Amino acid sequence: MIVVGAGPTGLACAIELQEAALRVKTVEKGCVVNSLYRYPTNLTFFTTPELLEIGGIPMTAVREKPTRGEALKYYRRVANHYRLDIHQYERVNAISGSDGSFDVLTTNRIGRNRSYRCRKVVLATGFYDIPVRMGIAGEDLPNVFHYYREPHPFYDCDVAVIGGKNSAAICALECYRAGARVTLIHREDELSSKIKYWILPDITNRIKAGEIRAFSGTRVTRIELDSIHLHTPDGPASIKTDFVLAMTGYQPDTEFLRRLGIMLDPETRKPRTDPTTLESDRSGVYLAGVIVAGMHTNEIFIENGRFHGGQIAEDIREKLAPSAAPA
């Protein structure tokens, strides 16, 4: 078996398949739990440790909710405990063949091409690697970041934060408290009601006090190295910026799924899968984790995606079991 993706769901799938006495290789284009690694350095999960557990290995945390660092340490420990065969920094380019005889074609970090023969494939590629683009000039300039790690580099700088949801609010608050001059820009008339309950009043009060400047109902039209241009309810505006933090969200690599012959719903971009087995309409290729939800990325998290491995392993075990001899 080949599992594509070594996030928490991919690791859970590899464990379940391995426990079903199947040989498993996991291929990951980044590091183990690469998406978690790219989370903000000081992130604390909203959930409790037991809801992040996989493979029956308990997760411990100093406080009620685990931090990013504690999660990274936990998933490394799980991978070591099960001696998972993980190929890090290796990108899957194509999957040829058919059910029972697939060839998974990859390229590793030094440019060497490889091919793995397997009977089944599980795709657990997540959604955090492709930022939602704004489609504007200047979006790829070196002062524009689609991922936020920590506020220190933005001390004493003019920073524009684009977005009105939880990530943008946290980013704006941390940068403000690290000494940045922050402007928050979002398209809606109000900040999202889904911002965590202890963060929403904080960002709202900072805006009311004038400590964080805010443009609501506003669209970014162009970014330059020293400024950002806006279309506001009062007309065009331009503000000075040193850095732009575009917290516009992320999306799954649906083009990769299409290339593999997996059909997607035209509106939701949800791939067609059997709800019980999670097998796609390309026989022998299974989907796990958030990619099952298409663009509805708020439907599946680590907390529920971690169980997909059990569903998949059960179906594969039944299909590969020898037929029972007649009585």
Side-chain angles (χ1 to χ4, degrees):
M1 309 296 145
I2 294 288
V3 175
V4 183
T9 297
L11 296 180
C13 289
I15 291 167
E16 294 286 353
L17 293 167
Q18 189 168 284
E19 292 295 284
L22 301 169
R23 287 196 302 154
V24 187
K25 290 185 185 296
T26 301
V27 182
E28 165 59 55
K29 67 178 178 297
C31 61
V32 168
V33 292
N34 193 63
S35 294
L36 270 62
Y37 166 70
R38 298 181 78 170
Y39 281 2
T41 304
N42 299 322
L43 178 135
T44 297
F45 284 86
F46 187 49
T47 190
T48 53
E50 62 272 13
L51 296 180
L52 301 179
E53 293 174 357
I54 61 175
I57 305 296
M59 181 182 191
T60 58
V62 173
R63 295 182 175 84
E64 180 184 359
K65 294 179 173 59
T67 65
R68 166 187 171 274
E70 288 171 329
L72 294 178
K73 181 178 180 180
Y74 169 75
Y75 290 115
R76 292 196 303 266
R77 182 163 63 92
V78 170
N80 284 335
H81 176 83
Y82 282 98
R83 299 181 181 178
L84 298 178
D85 184 3
I86 302 173
H87 294 233
Q88 299 184 97
Y89 308 105
E90 190 166 343
R91 181 178 294 273
V92 173
N93 302 316
I95 299 173
S96 61
S98 58
D99 190 8
S101 181
F102 289 108
D103 284 306
V104 178
L105 310 176
T106 71
T107 303
N108 68 10
R109 65 179 180 82
I110 60 174
R112 182 173 299 162
N113 296 324
R114 292 176 174 175
S115 176
Y116 301 103
R117 178 67 59 86
C118 63
R119 300 176 74 177
K120 307 281 185 182
V121 177
V122 178
L123 302 177
T125 50
F127 80 105
Y128 198 58
D129 294 310
I130 303 180
V132 174
R133 309 278 295 180
M134 293 177 286
I136 59 174
E139 192 169 5
D140 296 316
L141 287 172
N143 63 321
V144 181
F145 300 91
H146 289 276
Y147 293 91
Y148 166 73
R149 296 298 298 272
E150 58 182 338
H152 175 75
F154 308 113
Y155 162 72
D156 197 28
C157 294
D158 293 300
V159 176
V161 178
I162 304 172
K165 296 184 179 179
N166 200 68
S167 294
I170 292 174
C171 179
L173 287 168
E174 289 193 356
C175 288
Y176 156 70
R177 293 197 165 101
R181 296 174 292 277
V182 178
T183 299
L184 181 64
I185 303 158
H186 55 103
R187 294 180 301 177
E188 305 300 328
D189 293 333
E190 296 181 355
L191 293 171
S192 172
S193 60
K194 295 182 180 179
I195 294 176
K196 292 182 173 59
Y197 65 85
W198 66 90
I199 295 172
L200 184 57
D202 192 2
I203 186 69
T204 301
N205 289 335
R206 301 290 74 71
I207 292 171
K208 287 181 177 178
E211 295 164 330
I212 292 177
R213 188 182 184 189
F215 288 87
S216 59
T218 295
R219 180 169 52 88
V220 179
T221 58
R222 187 171 81 256
I223 300 173
E224 297 180 353
L225 287 171
D226 61 353
S227 62
I228 187 168
H229 300 269
L230 313 173
H231 182 76
T232 78
D234 298 322
S238 177
I239 60 174
K240 178 182 179 297
T241 58
D242 297 306
F243 297 100
V244 176
L245 302 176
M247 302 292 101
T248 52
Y250 308 93
Q251 60 187 349
D253 190 351
T254 53
E255 182 56 35
F256 177 66
L257 297 179
R258 286 195 188 97
R259 291 202 309 269
L260 299 183
I262 295 171
M263 302 299 294
L264 307 174
D265 180 274
E267 292 186 6
T268 65
R269 287 194 257 177
K270 286 186 178 183
R272 293 202 315 221
T273 56
D274 183 300
T276 302
T277 67
L278 297 177
E279 187 173 16
S280 72
D281 52 8
R282 183 175 180 182
S283 296
V285 177
Y286 295 78
L287 305 184
V290 71
I291 60 168
V292 174
M295 295 302 292
H296 294 182
T297 53
N298 60 345
E299 293 181 0
I300 298 178
F301 307 91
I302 298 172
E303 294 93 318
N304 50 6
R306 63 194 175 127
F307 298 116
H308 288 174
Q311 294 174 244
I312 295 169
E314 182 178 357
D315 186 61
I316 292 177
R317 184 170 51 240
E318 290 179 358
K319 288 178 176 174
L320 296 184
S323 300

